[in-house]
CSV table of all heavy atoms in Angstrom, one decimal:
chain,number,residue,atom,x,y,z
A,9,TYR,N,-8.1,-1.0,-12.5
A,9,TYR,CA,-7.6,0.4,-12.2
A,9,TYR,C,-6.3,0.5,-11.8
A,9,TYR,O,-5.7,-0.6,-11.7
A,9,TYR,CB,-8.7,1.0,-11.2
A,9,TYR,CG,-8.9,0.3,-9.9
A,9,TYR,CD1,-8.1,0.6,-8.9
A,9,TYR,CD2,-9.8,-0.7,-9.9
A,9,TYR,CE1,-8.2,-0.1,-7.7
A,9,TYR,CE2,-10.0,-1.4,-8.6
A,9,TYR,CZ,-9.2,-1.0,-7.6
A,9,TYR,OH,-9.3,-1.8,-6.4
A,47,SER,N,-3.7,6.4,3.4
A,47,SER,CA,-2.4,6.9,3.7
A,47,SER,C,-2.3,6.6,5.3
A,47,SER,O,-3.2,6.9,6.0
A,47,SER,CB,-2.2,8.3,3.6
A,47,SER,OG,-0.8,8.7,3.7
A,48,VAL,N,-1.2,5.8,5.6
A,48,VAL,CA,-1.0,5.5,7.1
A,48,VAL,C,0.4,5.7,7.4
A,48,VAL,O,1.4,5.5,6.5
A,48,VAL,CB,-1.4,3.9,7.2
A,48,VAL,CG1,-1.0,3.5,8.7
A,48,VAL,CG2,-2.8,3.6,6.8
A,49,ARG,N,0.7,6.3,8.6
A,49,ARG,CA,2.0,6.7,9.0
A,49,ARG,C,2.4,6.0,10.4
A,49,ARG,O,1.5,6.1,11.2
A,49,ARG,CB,2.3,8.1,9.1
A,49,ARG,CG,3.7,8.6,9.6
A,49,ARG,CD,4.1,9.9,9.1
A,49,ARG,NE,4.3,9.9,7.7
A,49,ARG,CZ,5.3,9.4,7.1
A,49,ARG,NH1,6.3,8.7,7.8
A,49,ARG,NH2,5.5,9.4,5.7
A,50,GLU,N,3.4,5.5,10.6
A,50,GLU,CA,3.8,4.9,11.9
A,50,GLU,C,5.3,5.4,12.1
A,50,GLU,O,6.2,5.0,11.5
A,50,GLU,CB,3.7,3.4,11.8
A,50,GLU,CG,3.9,2.7,13.1
A,50,GLU,CD,3.8,1.1,13.0
A,50,GLU,OE1,3.1,0.6,12.1
A,50,GLU,OE2,4.4,0.4,13.8
A,53,ARG,N,7.9,5.8,9.3
A,53,ARG,CA,7.6,5.1,7.9
A,53,ARG,C,6.1,5.4,7.6
A,53,ARG,O,5.2,5.3,8.3
A,53,ARG,CB,7.7,3.5,8.4
A,53,ARG,CG,9.1,3.1,8.6
A,53,ARG,CD,9.2,1.6,8.8
A,53,ARG,NE,8.1,1.0,9.7
A,53,ARG,CZ,7.3,0.1,9.3
A,53,ARG,NH1,7.3,-0.3,8.1
A,53,ARG,NH2,6.3,-0.3,10.1
A,55,LEU,N,3.2,4.6,4.4
A,55,LEU,CA,2.7,3.9,3.3
A,55,LEU,C,1.4,4.6,2.7
A,55,LEU,O,0.5,4.8,3.5
A,55,LEU,CB,2.4,2.4,3.8
A,55,LEU,CG,2.2,1.3,2.8
A,55,LEU,CD1,3.3,1.3,1.6
A,55,LEU,CD2,2.4,0.1,3.5
A,59,TYR,N,-5.3,5.8,-5.9
A,59,TYR,CA,-5.9,4.9,-6.9
A,59,TYR,C,-6.4,5.9,-8.1
A,59,TYR,O,-7.0,7.0,-7.8
A,59,TYR,CB,-7.2,4.4,-6.3
A,59,TYR,CG,-6.7,3.3,-5.2
A,59,TYR,CD1,-6.8,3.6,-3.9
A,59,TYR,CD2,-6.4,2.0,-5.5
A,59,TYR,CE1,-6.4,2.7,-2.9
A,59,TYR,CE2,-6.1,1.1,-4.6
A,59,TYR,CZ,-6.1,1.5,-3.2
A,59,TYR,OH,-5.8,0.6,-2.1
A,63,GLU,N,-3.6,4.5,-16.5
A,63,GLU,CA,-2.2,4.9,-16.5
A,63,GLU,C,-2.0,6.5,-16.9
A,63,GLU,O,-1.1,7.1,-16.4
A,63,GLU,CB,-1.5,4.0,-17.5
A,63,GLU,CG,0.0,4.1,-17.2
A,63,GLU,CD,0.7,2.9,-17.8
A,63,GLU,OE1,0.0,2.0,-18.4
A,63,GLU,OE2,1.9,2.7,-17.5
A,70,LYS,N,1.8,12.7,-11.8
A,70,LYS,CA,3.1,12.6,-11.5
A,70,LYS,C,3.8,13.9,-12.1
A,70,LYS,O,4.7,14.4,-11.5
A,70,LYS,CB,3.7,11.4,-12.3
A,70,LYS,CG,5.3,11.3,-12.1
A,70,LYS,CD,5.9,10.0,-12.6
A,70,LYS,CE,7.2,9.7,-12.1
A,70,LYS,NZ,8.2,10.4,-13.0
A,83,ARG,N,12.9,15.4,-1.6
A,83,ARG,CA,14.2,14.8,-1.8
A,83,ARG,C,15.2,15.6,-1.0
A,83,ARG,O,16.3,15.0,-0.5
A,83,ARG,CB,14.5,14.6,-3.2
A,83,ARG,CG,13.8,13.5,-3.9
A,83,ARG,CD,14.2,13.2,-5.3
A,83,ARG,NE,13.9,14.2,-6.2
A,83,ARG,CZ,12.8,14.3,-6.9
A,83,ARG,NH1,11.9,13.4,-6.9
A,83,ARG,NH2,12.6,15.3,-7.8
A,87,TYR,N,12.8,13.1,3.0
A,87,TYR,CA,12.8,11.7,2.8
A,87,TYR,C,14.3,11.1,2.9
A,87,TYR,O,15.2,11.6,2.3
A,87,TYR,CB,12.3,11.3,1.4
A,87,TYR,CG,10.9,11.6,1.2
A,87,TYR,CD1,10.4,12.5,0.3
A,87,TYR,CD2,9.9,11.0,2.1
A,87,TYR,CE1,9.1,12.8,0.1
A,87,TYR,CE2,8.5,11.3,1.9
A,87,TYR,CZ,8.1,12.2,1.0
A,87,TYR,OH,6.7,12.6,0.7
A,88,ALA,N,14.4,10.2,3.7
A,88,ALA,CA,15.6,9.3,3.7
A,88,ALA,C,15.6,8.3,2.5
A,88,ALA,O,16.6,8.1,1.8
A,88,ALA,CB,15.6,8.5,5.0
A,89,ARG,N,14.4,7.8,2.3
A,89,ARG,CA,14.2,7.0,1.1
A,89,ARG,C,12.8,7.0,0.7
A,89,ARG,O,12.1,7.2,1.6
A,89,ARG,CB,14.8,5.6,1.3
A,89,ARG,CG,14.0,4.8,2.3
A,89,ARG,CD,14.4,3.3,2.4
A,89,ARG,NE,13.4,2.6,3.2
A,89,ARG,CZ,12.2,2.1,2.8
A,89,ARG,NH1,11.9,2.1,1.6
A,89,ARG,NH2,11.4,1.5,3.7
A,90,TYR,N,12.4,6.7,-0.5
A,90,TYR,CA,11.1,6.4,-0.8
A,90,TYR,C,11.1,5.5,-2.1
A,90,TYR,O,12.1,5.4,-2.9
A,90,TYR,CB,10.2,7.6,-1.0
A,90,TYR,CG,10.6,8.5,-2.2
A,90,TYR,CD1,10.3,8.2,-3.7
A,90,TYR,CD2,11.1,9.7,-2.0
A,90,TYR,CE1,10.6,9.1,-4.5
A,90,TYR,CE2,11.3,10.7,-3.1
A,90,TYR,CZ,11.1,10.3,-4.4
A,90,TYR,OH,11.3,11.1,-5.3
A,91,THR,N,10.0,4.7,-2.2
A,91,THR,CA,9.8,4.0,-3.5
A,91,THR,C,8.4,4.2,-4.1
A,91,THR,O,7.4,4.2,-3.2
A,91,THR,CB,10.0,2.5,-3.2
A,91,THR,OG1,11.3,2.3,-2.6
A,91,THR,CG2,9.7,1.6,-4.3
A,92,VAL,N,8.3,4.3,-5.3
A,92,VAL,CA,7.0,4.6,-6.0
A,92,VAL,C,6.8,3.3,-6.9
A,92,VAL,O,7.7,3.0,-7.7
A,92,VAL,CB,7.0,5.9,-6.7
A,92,VAL,CG1,5.6,6.0,-7.4
A,92,VAL,CG2,7.2,7.0,-5.9
A,93,GLU,N,5.8,2.6,-6.8
A,93,GLU,CA,5.4,1.5,-7.6
A,93,GLU,C,4.1,1.8,-8.3
A,93,GLU,O,3.0,1.9,-7.6
A,93,GLU,CB,5.4,0.2,-6.9
A,93,GLU,CG,6.8,-0.1,-6.4
A,93,GLU,CD,6.7,-1.2,-5.1
A,93,GLU,OE1,6.0,-0.8,-4.2
A,93,GLU,OE2,7.5,-2.2,-5.2
A,94,VAL,N,4.0,1.8,-9.6
A,94,VAL,CA,2.8,1.9,-10.4
A,94,VAL,C,2.3,0.6,-10.8
A,94,VAL,O,3.0,-0.2,-11.5
A,94,VAL,CB,3.0,2.8,-11.7
A,94,VAL,CG1,1.7,2.9,-12.5
A,94,VAL,CG2,3.6,4.1,-11.2
A,95,SER,N,1.1,0.2,-10.2
A,95,SER,CA,0.6,-1.2,-10.5
A,95,SER,C,-0.9,-1.1,-10.9
A,95,SER,O,-1.6,-0.1,-10.8
A,95,SER,CB,0.7,-1.9,-9.1
A,95,SER,OG,-0.3,-1.5,-8.3
A,96,ARG,N,-1.2,-2.2,-11.7
A,96,ARG,CA,-2.5,-2.2,-12.3
A,96,ARG,C,-3.3,-3.3,-11.4
A,96,ARG,O,-2.9,-4.4,-11.2
A,96,ARG,CB,-2.4,-2.7,-13.7
A,96,ARG,CG,-3.7,-2.9,-14.5
A,96,ARG,CD,-3.2,-3.3,-16.0
A,96,ARG,NE,-4.3,-3.4,-16.8
A,96,ARG,CZ,-5.1,-4.5,-17.0
A,96,ARG,NH1,-4.9,-5.6,-16.4
A,96,ARG,NH2,-6.1,-4.4,-17.8
A,98,GLU,N,-5.8,-6.0,-10.7
A,98,GLU,CA,-6.6,-6.9,-11.5
A,98,GLU,C,-7.6,-7.5,-10.9
A,98,GLU,O,-8.7,-8.0,-11.6
A,98,GLU,CB,-5.5,-7.9,-12.0
A,98,GLU,CG,-4.4,-7.3,-12.7
A,98,GLU,CD,-3.3,-8.3,-13.2
A,98,GLU,OE1,-3.2,-9.5,-12.8
A,98,GLU,OE2,-2.6,-7.9,-14.2
A,99,ARG,N,-7.8,-7.6,-9.6
A,99,ARG,CA,-8.9,-8.1,-8.9
A,99,ARG,C,-8.9,-7.6,-7.4
A,99,ARG,O,-7.8,-7.2,-6.9
A,99,ARG,CB,-9.1,-9.5,-8.9
A,99,ARG,CG,-7.9,-10.4,-8.4
A,99,ARG,CD,-8.3,-11.8,-8.6
A,99,ARG,NE,-7.4,-12.7,-7.7
A,99,ARG,CZ,-6.1,-13.0,-8.2
A,99,ARG,NH1,-5.7,-12.7,-9.4
A,99,ARG,NH2,-5.4,-13.7,-7.4
A,100,SER,N,-10.1,-7.5,-6.9
A,100,SER,CA,-10.1,-7.0,-5.4
A,100,SER,C,-11.3,-7.6,-4.8
A,100,SER,O,-12.3,-8.0,-5.4
A,100,SER,CB,-10.2,-5.4,-5.4
A,100,SER,OG,-11.5,-5.1,-5.9
A,101,TYR,N,-11.3,-7.8,-3.5
A,101,TYR,CA,-12.4,-8.2,-2.7
A,101,TYR,C,-12.4,-7.6,-1.3
A,101,TYR,O,-11.4,-7.2,-0.8
A,101,TYR,CB,-12.6,-9.8,-2.7
A,101,TYR,CG,-11.2,-10.5,-2.3
A,101,TYR,CD1,-11.1,-10.7,-0.9
A,101,TYR,CD2,-10.3,-10.7,-3.3
A,101,TYR,CE1,-9.8,-11.5,-0.5
A,101,TYR,CE2,-9.2,-11.5,-2.8
A,101,TYR,CZ,-8.9,-11.7,-1.6
A,101,TYR,OH,-7.8,-12.4,-1.1
A,102,SER,N,-13.6,-7.5,-0.9
A,102,SER,CA,-13.7,-6.8,0.5
A,102,SER,C,-14.5,-7.5,1.5
A,102,SER,O,-15.4,-8.3,1.2
A,102,SER,CB,-14.5,-5.4,0.2
A,102,SER,OG,-13.6,-4.5,-0.6
A,103,PHE,N,-14.3,-7.1,2.7
A,103,PHE,CA,-15.2,-7.7,3.8
A,103,PHE,C,-15.5,-6.5,4.7
A,103,PHE,O,-14.8,-5.5,4.9
A,103,PHE,CB,-14.4,-8.6,4.7
A,103,PHE,CG,-14.9,-8.9,5.9
A,103,PHE,CD1,-15.9,-9.7,6.2
A,103,PHE,CD2,-14.4,-8.3,7.1
A,103,PHE,CE1,-16.5,-10.0,7.4
A,103,PHE,CE2,-14.9,-8.5,8.4
A,103,PHE,CZ,-16.0,-9.4,8.6
A,104,GLY,N,-16.8,-6.4,5.2
A,104,GLY,CA,-17.1,-5.4,6.2
A,104,GLY,C,-18.5,-4.8,5.9
A,104,GLY,O,-19.0,-5.0,4.8
B,9,TYR,N,6.1,-7.6,-11.2
B,9,TYR,CA,5.9,-8.5,-10.1
B,9,TYR,C,4.6,-8.1,-9.6
B,9,TYR,O,4.0,-7.1,-10.0
B,9,TYR,CB,7.1,-8.3,-9.1
B,9,TYR,CG,7.3,-7.1,-8.6
B,9,TYR,CD1,6.7,-6.5,-7.5
B,9,TYR,CD2,8.3,-6.2,-9.4
B,9,TYR,CE1,7.1,-5.2,-7.1
B,9,TYR,CE2,8.6,-5.0,-8.9
B,9,TYR,CZ,8.0,-4.4,-7.7
B,9,TYR,OH,8.3,-3.1,-7.4
B,47,SER,N,4.5,-3.1,6.1
B,47,SER,CA,3.3,-3.0,6.9
B,47,SER,C,3.4,-1.8,7.9
B,47,SER,O,4.2,-1.6,8.6
B,47,SER,CB,3.1,-4.3,7.7
B,47,SER,OG,1.9,-4.4,8.2
B,48,VAL,N,2.3,-1.0,7.9
B,48,VAL,CA,2.2,0.2,8.6
B,48,VAL,C,0.9,0.3,9.3
B,48,VAL,O,-0.2,0.0,8.6
B,48,VAL,CB,2.5,1.5,7.7
B,48,VAL,CG1,2.4,2.7,8.6
B,48,VAL,CG2,3.9,1.5,7.1
B,49,ARG,N,0.9,0.7,10.6
B,49,ARG,CA,-0.5,0.6,11.3
B,49,ARG,C,-0.5,2.0,12.0
B,49,ARG,O,0.5,2.5,12.6
B,49,ARG,CB,-0.7,-0.5,12.3
B,49,ARG,CG,-1.8,-0.3,13.2
B,49,ARG,CD,-2.2,-1.7,13.8
B,49,ARG,NE,-2.7,-2.5,12.8
B,49,ARG,CZ,-3.8,-2.5,12.0
B,49,ARG,NH1,-4.6,-1.5,12.2
B,49,ARG,NH2,-4.2,-3.2,11.1
B,50,GLU,N,-1.6,2.6,12.0
B,50,GLU,CA,-1.9,4.0,12.6
B,50,GLU,C,-3.2,3.9,13.4
B,50,GLU,O,-4.3,3.9,12.8
B,50,GLU,CB,-1.8,5.1,11.6
B,50,GLU,CG,-1.9,6.5,12.3
B,50,GLU,CD,-1.9,7.6,11.2
B,50,GLU,OE1,-1.2,7.3,10.0
B,50,GLU,OE2,-2.3,8.7,11.4
B,53,ARG,N,-6.3,1.7,11.8
B,53,ARG,CA,-6.2,1.6,10.4
B,53,ARG,C,-4.8,1.0,10.0
B,53,ARG,O,-3.7,1.4,10.5
B,53,ARG,CB,-6.3,2.9,9.7
B,53,ARG,CG,-7.6,3.6,9.9
B,53,ARG,CD,-7.7,4.9,9.1
B,53,ARG,NE,-6.7,5.6,9.1
B,53,ARG,CZ,-5.8,6.2,8.2
B,53,ARG,NH1,-6.0,5.8,7.0
B,53,ARG,NH2,-4.8,6.9,8.4
B,55,LEU,N,-2.2,-0.7,6.7
B,55,LEU,CA,-2.0,-0.8,5.3
B,55,LEU,C,-0.8,-1.7,5.1
B,55,LEU,O,0.3,-1.5,5.7
B,55,LEU,CB,-1.7,0.6,4.7
B,55,LEU,CG,-1.8,0.8,3.2
B,55,LEU,CD1,-2.8,0.2,2.5
B,55,LEU,CD2,-1.9,2.3,2.9
B,59,TYR,N,4.7,-8.5,-1.5
B,59,TYR,CA,5.2,-8.6,-3.0
B,59,TYR,C,5.5,-10.1,-3.3
B,59,TYR,O,6.1,-10.7,-2.5
B,59,TYR,CB,6.4,-7.7,-3.0
B,59,TYR,CG,6.2,-6.2,-2.8
B,59,TYR,CD1,6.4,-5.6,-1.6
B,59,TYR,CD2,5.7,-5.4,-3.9
B,59,TYR,CE1,6.2,-4.3,-1.3
B,59,TYR,CE2,5.5,-4.1,-3.6
B,59,TYR,CZ,5.7,-3.6,-2.3
B,59,TYR,OH,5.3,-2.2,-2.1
B,63,GLU,N,1.5,-14.2,-10.2
B,63,GLU,CA,0.1,-14.4,-9.7
B,63,GLU,C,-0.1,-15.7,-9.0
B,63,GLU,O,-0.9,-15.9,-8.1
B,63,GLU,CB,-0.8,-14.1,-10.8
B,63,GLU,CG,-2.1,-14.0,-10.5
B,63,GLU,CD,-3.1,-13.5,-11.5
B,63,GLU,OE1,-2.5,-13.3,-12.7
B,63,GLU,OE2,-4.2,-13.1,-11.2
B,70,LYS,N,-2.7,-17.1,-0.7
B,70,LYS,CA,-4.1,-17.0,-0.3
B,70,LYS,C,-4.7,-18.2,0.3
B,70,LYS,O,-5.5,-18.1,1.1
B,70,LYS,CB,-4.9,-16.4,-1.6
B,70,LYS,CG,-6.3,-15.9,-1.1
B,70,LYS,CD,-7.0,-15.3,-2.4
B,70,LYS,CE,-8.4,-14.8,-2.0
B,70,LYS,NZ,-9.5,-15.8,-2.1
B,83,ARG,N,-12.1,-12.3,10.4
B,83,ARG,CA,-13.5,-11.8,10.2
B,83,ARG,C,-14.4,-11.8,11.2
B,83,ARG,O,-15.3,-11.1,11.5
B,83,ARG,CB,-14.0,-12.6,8.8
B,83,ARG,CG,-13.4,-12.2,7.5
B,83,ARG,CD,-14.2,-12.8,6.4
B,83,ARG,NE,-13.9,-14.3,6.3
B,83,ARG,CZ,-12.9,-14.8,5.6
B,83,ARG,NH1,-12.0,-14.1,4.9
B,83,ARG,NH2,-12.7,-16.0,5.6
B,87,TYR,N,-11.6,-7.6,12.5
B,87,TYR,CA,-11.8,-6.6,11.3
B,87,TYR,C,-13.1,-5.9,11.3
B,87,TYR,O,-14.0,-6.8,11.2
B,87,TYR,CB,-11.4,-7.2,10.0
B,87,TYR,CG,-10.0,-7.6,9.7
B,87,TYR,CD1,-9.6,-8.9,9.6
B,87,TYR,CD2,-9.0,-6.7,9.9
B,87,TYR,CE1,-8.4,-9.3,9.5
B,87,TYR,CE2,-7.7,-7.1,9.8
B,87,TYR,CZ,-7.4,-8.4,9.6
B,87,TYR,OH,-5.9,-8.8,9.5
B,88,ALA,N,-13.1,-4.8,11.3
B,88,ALA,CA,-14.4,-4.0,11.0
B,88,ALA,C,-14.7,-4.0,9.4
B,88,ALA,O,-15.7,-4.3,9.0
B,88,ALA,CB,-14.4,-2.5,11.4
B,89,ARG,N,-13.5,-3.9,8.7
B,89,ARG,CA,-13.6,-4.0,7.3
B,89,ARG,C,-12.3,-4.3,6.8
B,89,ARG,O,-11.2,-3.9,7.4
B,89,ARG,CB,-14.1,-2.7,6.6
B,89,ARG,CG,-13.2,-1.5,6.7
B,89,ARG,CD,-13.6,-0.3,6.0
B,89,ARG,NE,-12.6,0.7,6.1
B,89,ARG,CZ,-11.6,0.8,5.2
B,89,ARG,NH1,-11.4,0.0,4.2
B,89,ARG,NH2,-10.7,1.8,5.3
B,90,TYR,N,-12.1,-4.9,5.5
B,90,TYR,CA,-10.7,-4.9,4.9
B,90,TYR,C,-11.0,-4.9,3.4
B,90,TYR,O,-12.0,-5.4,3.0
B,90,TYR,CB,-9.9,-6.1,5.4
B,90,TYR,CG,-10.3,-7.4,5.2
B,90,TYR,CD1,-10.3,-8.0,3.9
B,90,TYR,CD2,-10.7,-8.3,6.1
B,90,TYR,CE1,-10.6,-9.4,3.8
B,90,TYR,CE2,-11.1,-9.6,6.1
B,90,TYR,CZ,-11.1,-10.1,4.8
B,90,TYR,OH,-11.4,-11.5,4.5
B,91,THR,N,-10.0,-4.7,2.7
B,91,THR,CA,-10.1,-4.8,1.3
B,91,THR,C,-8.6,-5.3,0.8
B,91,THR,O,-7.6,-5.0,1.3
B,91,THR,CB,-10.3,-3.4,0.5
B,91,THR,OG1,-11.5,-2.8,1.0
B,91,THR,CG2,-10.2,-3.4,-0.9
B,92,VAL,N,-8.7,-6.3,-0.2
B,92,VAL,CA,-7.5,-6.9,-0.7
B,92,VAL,C,-7.6,-6.6,-2.2
B,92,VAL,O,-8.6,-6.8,-2.9
B,92,VAL,CB,-7.6,-8.4,-0.5
B,92,VAL,CG1,-6.3,-9.1,-1.2
B,92,VAL,CG2,-7.7,-8.8,1.0
B,93,GLU,N,-6.5,-6.1,-2.6
B,93,GLU,CA,-6.3,-5.7,-4.1
B,93,GLU,C,-5.1,-6.4,-4.6
B,93,GLU,O,-4.0,-6.2,-4.2
B,93,GLU,CB,-6.3,-4.2,-4.4
B,93,GLU,CG,-7.6,-3.6,-4.0
B,93,GLU,CD,-7.4,-2.0,-3.7
B,93,GLU,OE1,-6.6,-1.7,-2.8
B,93,GLU,OE2,-8.2,-1.2,-4.4
B,94,VAL,N,-5.3,-7.3,-5.7
B,94,VAL,CA,-4.1,-7.9,-6.2
B,94,VAL,C,-3.8,-7.1,-7.5
B,94,VAL,O,-4.6,-6.8,-8.4
B,94,VAL,CB,-4.5,-9.4,-6.7
B,94,VAL,CG1,-3.3,-10.1,-7.4
B,94,VAL,CG2,-5.0,-10.1,-5.4
B,95,SER,N,-2.5,-6.7,-7.6
B,95,SER,CA,-2.1,-5.7,-8.6
B,95,SER,C,-0.7,-6.2,-9.2
B,95,SER,O,0.0,-6.8,-8.5
B,95,SER,CB,-2.0,-4.3,-8.2
B,95,SER,OG,-0.9,-4.1,-7.3
B,96,ARG,N,-0.6,-5.8,-10.4
B,96,ARG,CA,0.6,-6.1,-11.1
B,96,ARG,C,1.5,-4.9,-11.3
B,96,ARG,O,1.0,-3.9,-11.8
B,96,ARG,CB,0.3,-6.7,-12.6
B,96,ARG,CG,1.4,-7.2,-13.3
B,96,ARG,CD,0.8,-7.7,-14.7
B,96,ARG,NE,1.7,-8.3,-15.5
B,96,ARG,CZ,2.5,-7.6,-16.5
B,96,ARG,NH1,2.2,-6.2,-16.7
B,96,ARG,NH2,3.4,-8.2,-17.3
B,98,GLU,N,4.0,-2.5,-12.8
B,98,GLU,CA,4.4,-2.3,-14.2
B,98,GLU,C,5.7,-1.5,-14.1
B,98,GLU,O,6.5,-1.6,-15.1
B,98,GLU,CB,3.4,-1.7,-14.9
B,98,GLU,CG,2.0,-2.6,-15.0
B,98,GLU,CD,1.0,-2.2,-15.9
B,98,GLU,OE1,1.0,-0.9,-16.1
B,98,GLU,OE2,0.2,-3.0,-16.2
B,99,ARG,N,5.9,-0.6,-13.2
B,99,ARG,CA,7.2,0.1,-13.0
B,99,ARG,C,7.4,0.8,-11.7
B,99,ARG,O,6.4,0.9,-10.9
B,99,ARG,CB,7.3,1.3,-14.2
B,99,ARG,CG,6.2,2.3,-14.2
B,99,ARG,CD,6.4,3.4,-15.2
B,99,ARG,NE,5.5,4.5,-14.9
B,99,ARG,CZ,4.1,4.6,-15.3
B,99,ARG,NH1,3.7,3.6,-15.9
B,99,ARG,NH2,3.5,5.6,-15.0
B,100,SER,N,8.7,0.9,-11.3
B,100,SER,CA,8.9,1.5,-10.0
B,100,SER,C,10.2,2.3,-10.1
B,100,SER,O,11.1,2.1,-11.0
B,100,SER,CB,9.1,0.4,-9.0
B,100,SER,OG,10.3,-0.3,-9.3
B,101,TYR,N,10.2,3.2,-9.1
B,101,TYR,CA,11.5,4.0,-9.1
B,101,TYR,C,11.7,4.4,-7.6
B,101,TYR,O,10.7,4.4,-6.8
B,101,TYR,CB,11.5,5.2,-10.0
B,101,TYR,CG,10.3,6.0,-9.9
B,101,TYR,CD1,10.2,7.3,-9.0
B,101,TYR,CD2,9.2,5.7,-10.7
B,101,TYR,CE1,9.1,8.0,-9.1
B,101,TYR,CE2,8.1,6.5,-10.7
B,101,TYR,CZ,8.1,7.7,-9.9
B,101,TYR,OH,6.9,8.4,-9.8
B,102,SER,N,12.9,4.6,-7.2
B,102,SER,CA,13.2,4.8,-5.8
B,102,SER,C,14.2,6.1,-5.6
B,102,SER,O,14.9,6.3,-6.6
B,102,SER,CB,14.1,3.6,-5.3
B,102,SER,OG,13.1,2.5,-5.1
B,103,PHE,N,14.2,6.5,-4.4
B,103,PHE,CA,15.1,7.5,-4.1
B,103,PHE,C,15.7,7.2,-2.7
B,103,PHE,O,15.0,6.6,-1.8
B,103,PHE,CB,14.4,8.9,-4.0
B,103,PHE,CG,15.1,9.9,-3.2
B,103,PHE,CD1,16.2,10.6,-3.8
B,103,PHE,CD2,14.7,10.1,-1.9
B,103,PHE,CE1,17.0,11.6,-3.0
B,103,PHE,CE2,15.6,11.1,-1.1
B,103,PHE,CZ,16.6,11.9,-1.7
B,104,GLY,N,16.9,7.4,-2.5
B,104,GLY,CA,17.5,7.2,-1.2
B,104,GLY,C,18.8,6.5,-1.1
B,104,GLY,O,19.3,5.9,-2.2
Side-chain angles (χ1 to χ4, degrees):
Chain A
Y9 52 92
S47 190
V48 179
R49 175 155 297 284
E50 188 176 333
R53 295 188 313 123
L55 195 41
Y59 296 97
E63 195 163 6
K70 184 172 189 276
R83 285 189 292 268
Y87 296 117
R89 68 170 187 88
Y90 66 72
T91 299
V92 178
E93 291 160 307
V94 179
S95 73
R96 184 175 183 273
E98 298 184 341
R99 57 180 194 277
S100 70
Y101 48 95
S102 294
F103 162 78
Chain B
Y9 53 92
S47 189
V48 179
R49 175 156 296 285
E50 187 176 334
R53 294 187 313 124
L55 194 42
Y59 296 97
E63 195 163 7
K70 184 174 190 273
R83 286 188 291 269
Y87 295 118
R89 67 171 188 91
Y90 67 73
T91 299
V92 178
E93 290 161 308
V94 179
S95 72
R96 185 175 182 272
E98 299 184 341
R99 59 180 192 276
S100 70
Y101 48 94
S102 293
F103 162 79

